[in-house]
Amino acid sequence: MAPGRLGACLVMLALLPSAAGAAPSLAGNWFGHGQPGDKGAMYLDRMLPNGEFWVHHRTCIKGKAFDQFAAGRWSQSAGGFTINIQTVNGVPNPRTDIYKTLSLDAKEQRYVYLPNNFAYTARRMADNFQMPPCDLIS
């Protein structure tokens, strides 16, 4: 899997100031579509307030799901965020991915994976949200 694919799905962890001065929280669940080379791929990022994350990637081919899971840590920086992937499917696979935040509010975030300039949009989801099955989308 391309370096940006996992990291890009690992979303969205920069805080932008709001008009009132308080920043929206990135902690929560973020769902989006699209990866470099696969516009139909899906991802669900679970970002914890303590800086841990889990991401679930799903590619659907002819109604069959191909899933991948990654875990690691995130940190914010001025205007962006960094994802430090520690494992992929439970196997050590360390990598660092850097993103620029384009916009962030309580419902949606837009960000760019800097090495290939690929843009992502993710929506905040409830804690009980589950990845949709492939037969509903392919």
Side-chain angles (χ1 to χ4, degrees):
M1 180 172 283
R5 183 170 175 139
L6 279 177
C9 304
L10 302 176
V11 211
M12 312 131 311
L13 303 172
L15 298 175
L16 297 177
S18 71
S25 174
L26 286 171
N29 302 306
W30 297 93
F31 177 72
H33 287 95
Q35 295 294 325
D38 187 356
K39 292 181 183 182
M42 301 178 278
Y43 58 92
L44 176 60
D45 295 322
R46 297 194 187 274
M47 313 305 288
L48 302 181
N50 68 0
E52 291 180 66
F53 79 87
W54 295 283
V55 62
H56 177 181
H57 292 271
R58 174 167 286 163
T59 298
C60 297
I61 300 173
K62 296 182 180 180
K64 181 173 169 120
F66 295 89
D67 293 329
Q68 186 173 53
F69 301 89
R73 301 198 55 80
W74 62 269
S75 63
Q76 86 180 56
S77 58
F81 59 95
T82 300
I83 299 294
N84 292 300
I85 296 167
Q86 296 169 350
T87 63
V88 176
N89 293 333
V91 177
N93 190 7
R95 187 181 77 239
T96 299
D97 293 333
I98 300 172
Y99 300 87
K100 177 181 177 182
T101 299
L102 302 175
S103 66
L104 172 65
D105 62 33
K107 294 181 181 181
E108 183 179 88
Q109 60 177 311
R110 294 184 329 113
Y111 54 100
V112 172
Y113 178 61
L114 292 178
N116 66 6
N117 208 32
F118 190 84
Y120 294 88
T121 300
R123 299 201 46 87
R124 187 182 296 274
M125 307 307 284
D127 286 345
N128 64 351
F129 179 81
Q130 298 293 316
M131 187 77 72
C134 286
D135 59 352
L136 292 179
I137 62 162
S138 58

